[in-house]
Amino acid sequence: MRRKLAAGNWKMNGTTSALSELDALARAFPSPTIDILICPPATLLHRAAETVRETGIATGGQDCHAAPSGAHTGDISADMLVDAGANAVILGHSERREDHGEQNETVRAKARAAMDAGLKAIICVGESLEQREAANTLDIIGGQLSGSIPDQSTGENLIVAYEPIWAIGTGKVPTLEEIGEVHDFIRNRLERRFGEGVGRSVRLLYGGSVKPNNAADIFAVSNVDGALVGGASLKAQDFSGIIVALQKA
Ligand code: PGA
């Protein structure tokens, strides 16, 4: 049985005052029946982790470097995330792939570092609108999966997020059939590569304009084990609607 996961990606949003949203979330879900994860900006991570300590909410990073330490100005290592209170890290988000030119090999190296440090790696994959319109979606996703996911992956340390680039922050969402097709494809690829046991235990999240009003439908799709949520994770009230939908799914 895969445990459901509602993960919030705050991206480059939030200063000290945003911690009150975390506090509100922790109070709204004193004993959640699903996993809840918030990935705030690195500047808030330690305080966010303190805010939700001894609650059912976990915190994570939004990126890490592949190296354990060294001359990498501005970067953060996986151990530093752990030290700040993270138990997971988002890797290979399309905004990282686009803004920082991250290739699959880089994402894979980062994921190795994250897993070695004891973090869960949430590896993001997803096609652009052009790729979908050219009917290349599954080819693209297949390449990202084989290129970005390290061999040491298990059901415990790997989570895959399917995030169509054109659905992120746009209010556009693929049809439920399209989501199901990609999630079934990812499950199949993971089972082929890692065997049925591991392949079946990895959690698959959908991400891209998940809101309280579309969450229940998305969570009813096969092989959708939760969501990676951007905009709607910033406010406790919005994210609560998504958590409630996932708890009922
Ligand atoms: P969104 O972002 O929910 O704002 O579309 C999702 C994501 O990029 O993880």
Short mmCIF file of all heavy atoms in Angstrom, two decimals, residues 120-182:
data_model
loop_
_atom_site.label_atom_id
_atom_site.label_comp_id
_atom_site.label_asym_id
_atom_site.label_seq_id
_atom_site.Cartn_x
_atom_site.Cartn_y
_atom_site.Cartn_z
N LYS A 120 14.50 11.75 0.74
CA LYS A 120 13.67 11.25 -0.34
C LYS A 120 13.83 12.22 -1.51
O LYS A 120 13.74 13.43 -1.31
CB LYS A 120 12.19 11.23 0.07
CG LYS A 120 11.89 10.29 1.22
CD LYS A 120 10.43 10.40 1.63
CE LYS A 120 10.17 9.84 3.01
NZ LYS A 120 10.59 8.47 3.23
N ALA A 121 14.06 11.69 -2.70
CA ALA A 121 14.20 12.55 -3.88
C ALA A 121 12.88 12.55 -4.64
O ALA A 121 12.38 11.49 -5.04
CB ALA A 121 15.32 12.03 -4.77
N ILE A 122 12.31 13.74 -4.81
CA ILE A 122 11.09 13.88 -5.63
C ILE A 122 11.56 14.33 -7.00
O ILE A 122 11.89 15.50 -7.21
CB ILE A 122 10.13 14.91 -5.02
CG1 ILE A 122 9.77 14.53 -3.59
CG2 ILE A 122 8.87 15.05 -5.89
CD1 ILE A 122 8.89 15.55 -2.87
N ILE A 123 11.66 13.40 -7.93
CA ILE A 123 12.21 13.71 -9.25
C ILE A 123 11.06 14.08 -10.19
O ILE A 123 10.10 13.33 -10.35
CB ILE A 123 13.02 12.52 -9.78
CG1 ILE A 123 14.21 12.25 -8.83
CG2 ILE A 123 13.49 12.78 -11.21
CD1 ILE A 123 15.14 11.15 -9.27
N CYS A 124 11.19 15.27 -10.79
CA CYS A 124 10.12 15.79 -11.64
C CYS A 124 10.41 15.50 -13.12
O CYS A 124 11.53 15.66 -13.59
CB CYS A 124 9.99 17.30 -11.48
SG CYS A 124 9.69 17.81 -9.78
N VAL A 125 9.36 15.11 -13.81
CA VAL A 125 9.42 14.91 -15.26
C VAL A 125 8.19 15.57 -15.87
O VAL A 125 7.19 15.78 -15.18
CB VAL A 125 9.44 13.41 -15.63
CG1 VAL A 125 10.69 12.73 -15.07
CG2 VAL A 125 8.19 12.68 -15.13
N GLY A 126 8.28 15.89 -17.16
CA GLY A 126 7.10 16.49 -17.79
C GLY A 126 7.43 17.06 -19.14
O GLY A 126 8.57 17.47 -19.39
N GLU A 127 6.43 17.09 -20.01
CA GLU A 127 6.63 17.53 -21.39
C GLU A 127 6.19 18.99 -21.58
O GLU A 127 5.36 19.50 -20.82
CB GLU A 127 5.85 16.62 -22.35
CG GLU A 127 4.35 16.93 -22.50
CD GLU A 127 3.50 16.55 -21.29
OE1 GLU A 127 4.04 16.04 -20.31
OE2 GLU A 127 2.27 16.80 -21.35
N SER A 128 6.73 19.63 -22.60
CA SER A 128 6.29 20.97 -22.97
C SER A 128 5.03 20.85 -23.84
O SER A 128 4.68 19.75 -24.30
CB SER A 128 7.39 21.69 -23.76
OG SER A 128 7.56 21.03 -25.01
N LEU A 129 4.41 21.97 -24.11
CA LEU A 129 3.21 21.95 -24.95
C LEU A 129 3.55 21.48 -26.37
O LEU A 129 2.82 20.67 -26.96
CB LEU A 129 2.59 23.36 -25.00
CG LEU A 129 1.23 23.44 -25.67
CD1 LEU A 129 0.22 22.52 -24.99
CD2 LEU A 129 0.71 24.88 -25.64
N GLU A 130 4.68 21.95 -26.90
CA GLU A 130 5.09 21.54 -28.25
C GLU A 130 5.28 20.03 -28.30
O GLU A 130 4.88 19.37 -29.27
CB GLU A 130 6.41 22.21 -28.66
CG GLU A 130 6.38 23.73 -28.75
CD GLU A 130 6.27 24.41 -27.39
OE1 GLU A 130 6.97 23.99 -26.44
OE2 GLU A 130 5.46 25.35 -27.24
N GLN A 131 5.91 19.49 -27.26
CA GLN A 131 6.16 18.04 -27.25
C GLN A 131 4.85 17.27 -27.17
O GLN A 131 4.68 16.25 -27.83
CB GLN A 131 7.08 17.69 -26.07
CG GLN A 131 8.50 18.20 -26.30
CD GLN A 131 9.34 18.26 -25.04
OE1 GLN A 131 8.83 18.31 -23.92
NE2 GLN A 131 10.66 18.24 -25.21
N ARG A 132 3.90 17.77 -26.38
CA ARG A 132 2.60 17.08 -26.32
C ARG A 132 1.89 17.16 -27.67
O ARG A 132 1.37 16.17 -28.16
CB ARG A 132 1.70 17.66 -25.21
CG ARG A 132 0.32 17.00 -25.20
CD ARG A 132 -0.41 17.12 -23.90
NE ARG A 132 0.06 16.22 -22.87
CZ ARG A 132 -0.32 14.94 -22.75
NH1 ARG A 132 -1.14 14.39 -23.64
NH2 ARG A 132 0.12 14.19 -21.77
N GLU A 133 1.91 18.35 -28.28
CA GLU A 133 1.20 18.50 -29.55
C GLU A 133 1.83 17.65 -30.65
O GLU A 133 1.17 17.23 -31.58
CB GLU A 133 1.13 19.98 -29.94
CG GLU A 133 0.09 20.70 -29.08
CD GLU A 133 0.07 22.21 -29.28
OE1 GLU A 133 1.04 22.75 -29.86
OE2 GLU A 133 -0.92 22.83 -28.82
N ALA A 134 3.13 17.39 -30.52
CA ALA A 134 3.82 16.54 -31.51
C ALA A 134 3.71 15.06 -31.14
O ALA A 134 4.36 14.21 -31.74
CB ALA A 134 5.28 16.96 -31.62
N ALA A 135 2.88 14.75 -30.14
CA ALA A 135 2.67 13.36 -29.69
C ALA A 135 3.96 12.71 -29.20
O ALA A 135 4.18 11.51 -29.37
CB ALA A 135 2.01 12.53 -30.79
N ASN A 136 4.84 13.51 -28.60
CA ASN A 136 6.11 12.99 -28.09
C ASN A 136 6.13 12.81 -26.58
O ASN A 136 7.19 12.53 -26.01
CB ASN A 136 7.25 13.96 -28.45
CG ASN A 136 7.62 13.86 -29.91
OD1 ASN A 136 7.39 12.82 -30.52
ND2 ASN A 136 8.18 14.92 -30.46
N THR A 137 4.99 12.98 -25.93
CA THR A 137 4.97 13.01 -24.46
C THR A 137 5.65 11.78 -23.84
O THR A 137 6.55 11.91 -23.00
CB THR A 137 3.52 13.14 -23.95
OG1 THR A 137 3.01 14.38 -24.43
CG2 THR A 137 3.46 13.12 -22.43
N LEU A 138 5.24 10.59 -24.25
CA LEU A 138 5.75 9.39 -23.57
C LEU A 138 7.24 9.18 -23.86
O LEU A 138 7.98 8.72 -22.98
CB LEU A 138 4.92 8.16 -23.94
CG LEU A 138 3.45 8.23 -23.51
CD1 LEU A 138 2.72 6.91 -23.84
CD2 LEU A 138 3.29 8.56 -22.03
N ASP A 139 7.68 9.56 -25.06
CA ASP A 139 9.12 9.46 -25.38
C ASP A 139 9.94 10.36 -24.46
O ASP A 139 10.99 9.98 -23.95
CB ASP A 139 9.39 9.92 -26.82
CG ASP A 139 9.12 8.79 -27.80
OD1 ASP A 139 8.89 7.67 -27.33
OD2 ASP A 139 9.15 9.06 -29.01
N ILE A 140 9.44 11.59 -24.31
CA ILE A 140 10.15 12.56 -23.47
C ILE A 140 10.19 12.08 -22.02
O ILE A 140 11.25 12.07 -21.38
CB ILE A 140 9.42 13.94 -23.54
CG1 ILE A 140 9.54 14.53 -24.94
CG2 ILE A 140 9.93 14.91 -22.48
CD1 ILE A 140 10.95 14.88 -25.37
N ILE A 141 9.04 11.65 -21.52
CA ILE A 141 8.98 11.18 -20.13
C ILE A 141 9.88 9.95 -19.95
O ILE A 141 10.62 9.85 -18.96
CB ILE A 141 7.52 10.80 -19.73
CG1 ILE A 141 6.55 11.94 -20.02
CG2 ILE A 141 7.45 10.33 -18.27
CD1 ILE A 141 6.51 13.05 -19.05
N GLY A 142 9.85 9.05 -20.91
CA GLY A 142 10.69 7.85 -20.83
C GLY A 142 12.16 8.22 -20.74
O GLY A 142 12.91 7.66 -19.93
N GLY A 143 12.59 9.18 -21.55
CA GLY A 143 13.99 9.62 -21.52
C GLY A 143 14.34 10.28 -20.20
O GLY A 143 15.43 10.06 -19.65
N GLN A 144 13.43 11.08 -19.68
CA GLN A 144 13.69 11.76 -18.40
C GLN A 144 13.77 10.74 -17.26
O GLN A 144 14.61 10.86 -16.36
CB GLN A 144 12.60 12.79 -18.11
CG GLN A 144 12.67 14.00 -19.04
CD GLN A 144 11.47 14.93 -18.88
OE1 GLN A 144 10.38 14.51 -18.48
NE2 GLN A 144 11.66 16.19 -19.21
N LEU A 145 12.92 9.72 -17.31
CA LEU A 145 12.94 8.70 -16.25
C LEU A 145 14.25 7.94 -16.28
O LEU A 145 14.92 7.78 -15.26
CB LEU A 145 11.77 7.72 -16.44
CG LEU A 145 10.36 8.24 -16.22
CD1 LEU A 145 9.34 7.17 -16.61
CD2 LEU A 145 10.14 8.67 -14.77
N SER A 146 14.65 7.46 -17.47
CA SER A 146 15.87 6.65 -17.49
C SER A 146 17.10 7.50 -17.23
O SER A 146 18.06 7.04 -16.63
CB SER A 146 15.99 5.85 -18.79
OG SER A 146 15.83 6.69 -19.88
N GLY A 147 17.06 8.79 -17.63
CA GLY A 147 18.23 9.64 -17.44
C GLY A 147 18.35 10.24 -16.05
O GLY A 147 19.45 10.49 -15.56
N SER A 148 17.23 10.48 -15.39
CA SER A 148 17.27 11.24 -14.13
C SER A 148 17.23 10.38 -12.87
O SER A 148 17.59 10.84 -11.80
CB SER A 148 16.07 12.20 -14.04
OG SER A 148 15.99 13.03 -15.16
N ILE A 149 16.71 9.14 -12.99
CA ILE A 149 16.51 8.33 -11.78
C ILE A 149 17.72 7.42 -11.56
O ILE A 149 18.09 6.64 -12.43
CB ILE A 149 15.22 7.48 -11.92
CG1 ILE A 149 14.01 8.42 -12.02
CG2 ILE A 149 15.07 6.52 -10.75
CD1 ILE A 149 12.69 7.70 -12.21
N PRO A 150 18.34 7.51 -10.38
CA PRO A 150 19.53 6.68 -10.13
C PRO A 150 19.19 5.21 -9.83
O PRO A 150 18.07 4.90 -9.44
CB PRO A 150 20.17 7.34 -8.90
CG PRO A 150 19.15 8.22 -8.30
CD PRO A 150 18.04 8.43 -9.29
N ASP A 151 20.19 4.35 -10.01
CA ASP A 151 19.99 2.91 -9.83
C ASP A 151 19.66 2.54 -8.39
O ASP A 151 19.07 1.50 -8.14
CB ASP A 151 21.27 2.15 -10.24
CG ASP A 151 21.48 2.22 -11.75
OD1 ASP A 151 20.48 2.40 -12.48
OD2 ASP A 151 22.64 2.11 -12.19
N GLN A 152 20.10 3.36 -7.44
CA GLN A 152 19.91 3.01 -6.03
C GLN A 152 18.49 3.30 -5.52
O GLN A 152 18.23 3.19 -4.33
CB GLN A 152 20.93 3.76 -5.17
CG GLN A 152 20.63 5.24 -4.99
CD GLN A 152 21.89 6.08 -4.78
OE1 GLN A 152 22.65 6.35 -5.70
NE2 GLN A 152 22.11 6.49 -3.53
N SER A 153 17.59 3.66 -6.45
CA SER A 153 16.24 4.06 -6.03
C SER A 153 15.45 2.91 -5.42
O SER A 153 15.56 1.76 -5.86
CB SER A 153 15.47 4.61 -7.24
OG SER A 153 16.13 5.73 -7.75
N THR A 154 14.63 3.26 -4.43
CA THR A 154 13.73 2.29 -3.80
C THR A 154 12.36 2.96 -3.62
O THR A 154 12.23 4.17 -3.85
CB THR A 154 14.23 1.89 -2.40
OG1 THR A 154 14.16 3.06 -1.55
CG2 THR A 154 15.66 1.37 -2.43
N GLY A 155 11.41 2.20 -3.15
CA GLY A 155 10.09 2.78 -2.87
C GLY A 155 10.14 3.78 -1.72
O GLY A 155 9.26 4.62 -1.58
N GLU A 156 11.21 3.68 -0.93
CA GLU A 156 11.35 4.57 0.22
C GLU A 156 12.00 5.90 -0.16
O GLU A 156 11.58 6.97 0.29
CB GLU A 156 12.20 3.83 1.27
CG GLU A 156 12.31 4.48 2.62
CD GLU A 156 10.97 4.87 3.23
OE1 GLU A 156 9.97 4.11 3.12
OE2 GLU A 156 10.91 5.97 3.79
N ASN A 157 13.03 5.85 -1.02
CA ASN A 157 13.80 7.08 -1.27
C ASN A 157 13.43 7.80 -2.58
O ASN A 157 13.97 8.87 -2.86
CB ASN A 157 15.31 6.81 -1.21
CG ASN A 157 15.82 5.89 -2.32
OD1 ASN A 157 15.13 5.67 -3.31
ND2 ASN A 157 17.02 5.37 -2.16
N LEU A 158 12.57 7.20 -3.38
CA LEU A 158 12.20 7.83 -4.66
C LEU A 158 10.71 8.13 -4.72
O LEU A 158 9.87 7.30 -4.36
CB LEU A 158 12.55 6.91 -5.84
CG LEU A 158 12.07 7.40 -7.22
CD1 LEU A 158 12.84 8.66 -7.65
CD2 LEU A 158 12.21 6.33 -8.29
N ILE A 159 10.41 9.34 -5.17
CA ILE A 159 9.04 9.76 -5.50
C ILE A 159 9.15 10.41 -6.88
O ILE A 159 10.11 11.16 -7.13
CB ILE A 159 8.51 10.77 -4.46
CG1 ILE A 159 8.39 10.10 -3.08
CG2 ILE A 159 7.18 11.37 -4.90
CD1 ILE A 159 8.39 11.06 -1.91
N VAL A 160 8.25 10.10 -7.78
CA VAL A 160 8.29 10.72 -9.11
C VAL A 160 7.09 11.65 -9.24
O VAL A 160 5.96 11.28 -8.89
CB VAL A 160 8.25 9.66 -10.24
CG1 VAL A 160 8.22 10.32 -11.61
CG2 VAL A 160 9.47 8.73 -10.13
N ALA A 161 7.35 12.87 -9.72
CA ALA A 161 6.26 13.82 -9.95
C ALA A 161 6.12 14.07 -11.45
O ALA A 161 7.09 14.47 -12.11
CB ALA A 161 6.53 15.14 -9.23
N TYR A 162 4.92 13.79 -11.97
CA TYR A 162 4.64 14.13 -13.37
C TYR A 162 4.06 15.53 -13.41
O TYR A 162 2.97 15.78 -12.89
CB TYR A 162 3.65 13.12 -13.97
CG TYR A 162 3.11 13.60 -15.31
CD1 TYR A 162 3.98 14.00 -16.33
CD2 TYR A 162 1.74 13.69 -15.56
CE1 TYR A 162 3.51 14.47 -17.54
CE2 TYR A 162 1.25 14.15 -16.78
CZ TYR A 162 2.15 14.54 -17.76
OH TYR A 162 1.67 15.02 -18.97
N GLU A 163 4.80 16.44 -14.04
CA GLU A 163 4.37 17.83 -14.11
C GLU A 163 4.48 18.34 -15.55
O GLU A 163 5.56 18.76 -15.98
CB GLU A 163 5.24 18.71 -13.21
CG GLU A 163 5.19 18.34 -11.76
CD GLU A 163 5.49 19.55 -10.86
OE1 GLU A 163 6.53 20.20 -11.07
OE2 GLU A 163 4.67 19.84 -10.00
N PRO A 164 3.38 18.29 -16.30
CA PRO A 164 3.42 18.84 -17.65
C PRO A 164 3.77 20.33 -17.56
O PRO A 164 3.13 21.06 -16.80
CB PRO A 164 2.01 18.64 -18.19
CG PRO A 164 1.22 17.96 -17.14
CD PRO A 164 2.04 17.85 -15.91
N ILE A 165 4.78 20.76 -18.30
CA ILE A 165 5.28 22.14 -18.15
C ILE A 165 4.16 23.15 -18.42
O ILE A 165 4.03 24.16 -17.73
CB ILE A 165 6.48 22.38 -19.08
CG1 ILE A 165 7.62 21.43 -18.69
CG2 ILE A 165 6.95 23.82 -19.03
CD1 ILE A 165 8.76 21.38 -19.70
N TRP A 166 3.31 22.83 -19.38
CA TRP A 166 2.26 23.76 -19.80
C TRP A 166 1.12 23.85 -18.78
O TRP A 166 0.25 24.72 -18.90
CB TRP A 166 1.72 23.34 -21.18
CG TRP A 166 1.32 21.89 -21.24
CD1 TRP A 166 2.15 20.84 -21.52
CD2 TRP A 166 0.04 21.34 -20.99
NE1 TRP A 166 1.45 19.66 -21.44
CE2 TRP A 166 0.14 19.94 -21.14
CE3 TRP A 166 -1.21 21.88 -20.67
CZ2 TRP A 166 -0.93 19.08 -20.97
CZ3 TRP A 166 -2.29 21.02 -20.51
CH2 TRP A 166 -2.13 19.65 -20.66
N ALA A 167 1.14 22.98 -17.80
CA ALA A 167 0.08 23.00 -16.77
C ALA A 167 0.54 23.72 -15.51
O ALA A 167 -0.26 23.95 -14.60
CB ALA A 167 -0.36 21.58 -16.44
N ILE A 168 1.82 24.05 -15.42
CA ILE A 168 2.35 24.63 -14.18
C ILE A 168 2.03 26.12 -14.11
O ILE A 168 2.43 26.90 -14.99
CB ILE A 168 3.88 24.41 -14.09
CG1 ILE A 168 4.18 22.91 -13.98
CG2 ILE A 168 4.46 25.17 -12.90
CD1 ILE A 168 5.65 22.57 -13.98
N GLY A 169 1.26 26.49 -13.09
CA GLY A 169 0.95 27.89 -12.86
C GLY A 169 0.06 28.52 -13.92
O GLY A 169 -0.07 29.74 -13.98
N THR A 170 -0.57 27.71 -14.76
CA THR A 170 -1.37 28.25 -15.86
C THR A 170 -2.87 28.08 -15.67
O THR A 170 -3.65 28.67 -16.41
CB THR A 170 -1.01 27.52 -17.18
OG1 THR A 170 -1.28 26.11 -16.98
CG2 THR A 170 0.45 27.71 -17.55
N GLY A 171 -3.26 27.24 -14.71
CA GLY A 171 -4.69 26.94 -14.57
C GLY A 171 -5.15 25.89 -15.57
O GLY A 171 -6.30 25.46 -15.54
N LYS A 172 -4.24 25.47 -16.47
CA LYS A 172 -4.60 24.40 -17.43
C LYS A 172 -4.21 23.06 -16.84
O LYS A 172 -3.13 22.93 -16.27
CB LYS A 172 -3.85 24.59 -18.74
CG LYS A 172 -4.27 25.82 -19.50
CD LYS A 172 -3.61 25.82 -20.87
CE LYS A 172 -3.78 27.18 -21.53
NZ LYS A 172 -2.55 27.70 -22.10
N VAL A 173 -5.06 22.08 -17.03
CA VAL A 173 -4.79 20.74 -16.49
C VAL A 173 -5.04 19.73 -17.61
O VAL A 173 -6.00 19.90 -18.38
CB VAL A 173 -5.72 20.44 -15.29
CG1 VAL A 173 -5.43 19.07 -14.71
CG2 VAL A 173 -5.56 21.50 -14.21
N PRO A 174 -4.21 18.71 -17.74
CA PRO A 174 -4.50 17.68 -18.74
C PRO A 174 -5.83 17.00 -18.42
O PRO A 174 -6.32 17.11 -17.29
CB PRO A 174 -3.35 16.67 -18.58
CG PRO A 174 -2.34 17.30 -17.69
CD PRO A 174 -3.02 18.40 -16.94
N THR A 175 -6.39 16.29 -19.39
CA THR A 175 -7.60 15.52 -19.07
C THR A 175 -7.21 14.39 -18.11
O THR A 175 -6.03 14.02 -18.01
CB THR A 175 -8.21 14.88 -20.33
OG1 THR A 175 -7.27 13.92 -20.84
CG2 THR A 175 -8.52 15.92 -21.40
N LEU A 176 -8.21 13.84 -17.44
CA LEU A 176 -7.92 12.75 -16.50
C LEU A 176 -7.35 11.55 -17.25
O LEU A 176 -6.49 10.83 -16.74
CB LEU A 176 -9.20 12.37 -15.75
CG LEU A 176 -9.81 13.52 -14.93
CD1 LEU A 176 -11.10 13.08 -14.25
CD2 LEU A 176 -8.83 14.09 -13.90
N GLU A 177 -7.77 11.36 -18.49
CA GLU A 177 -7.24 10.26 -19.31
C GLU A 177 -5.76 10.48 -19.59
O GLU A 177 -4.95 9.56 -19.55
CB GLU A 177 -8.00 10.14 -20.65
CG GLU A 177 -9.42 9.63 -20.53
CD GLU A 177 -10.38 10.66 -19.89
OE1 GLU A 177 -10.13 11.89 -20.01
OE2 GLU A 177 -11.35 10.23 -19.25
N GLU A 178 -5.42 11.75 -19.90
CA GLU A 178 -4.01 12.05 -20.19
C GLU A 178 -3.14 11.83 -18.94
O GLU A 178 -2.03 11.30 -19.03
CB GLU A 178 -3.87 13.50 -20.70
CG GLU A 178 -4.39 13.66 -22.13
CD GLU A 178 -4.54 15.13 -22.56
OE1 GLU A 178 -4.68 16.02 -21.70
OE2 GLU A 178 -4.53 15.37 -23.78
N ILE A 179 -3.65 12.25 -17.80
CA ILE A 179 -2.89 12.04 -16.55
C ILE A 179 -2.73 10.54 -16.31
O ILE A 179 -1.63 10.06 -16.02
CB ILE A 179 -3.61 12.71 -15.35
CG1 ILE A 179 -3.62 14.24 -15.52
CG2 ILE A 179 -2.94 12.32 -14.03
CD1 ILE A 179 -4.42 14.99 -14.46
N GLY A 180 -3.82 9.82 -16.47
CA GLY A 180 -3.77 8.36 -16.24
C GLY A 180 -2.81 7.67 -17.18
O GLY A 180 -2.07 6.76 -16.77
N GLU A 181 -2.79 8.09 -18.43
CA GLU A 181 -1.90 7.45 -19.42
C GLU A 181 -0.44 7.61 -18.99
O GLU A 181 0.34 6.65 -19.02
CB GLU A 181 -2.12 8.09 -20.80
CG GLU A 181 -1.24 7.47 -21.87
CD GLU A 181 -1.25 8.24 -23.20
OE1 GLU A 181 -1.45 9.47 -23.18
OE2 GLU A 181 -1.06 7.58 -24.24
N VAL A 182 -0.08 8.83 -18.59
CA VAL A 182 1.33 9.07 -18.22
C VAL A 182 1.67 8.35 -16.91
O VAL A 182 2.74 7.74 -16.79
CB VAL A 182 1.63 10.59 -18.12
CG1 VAL A 182 3.05 10.81 -17.62
CG2 VAL A 182 1.43 11.26 -19.47
#
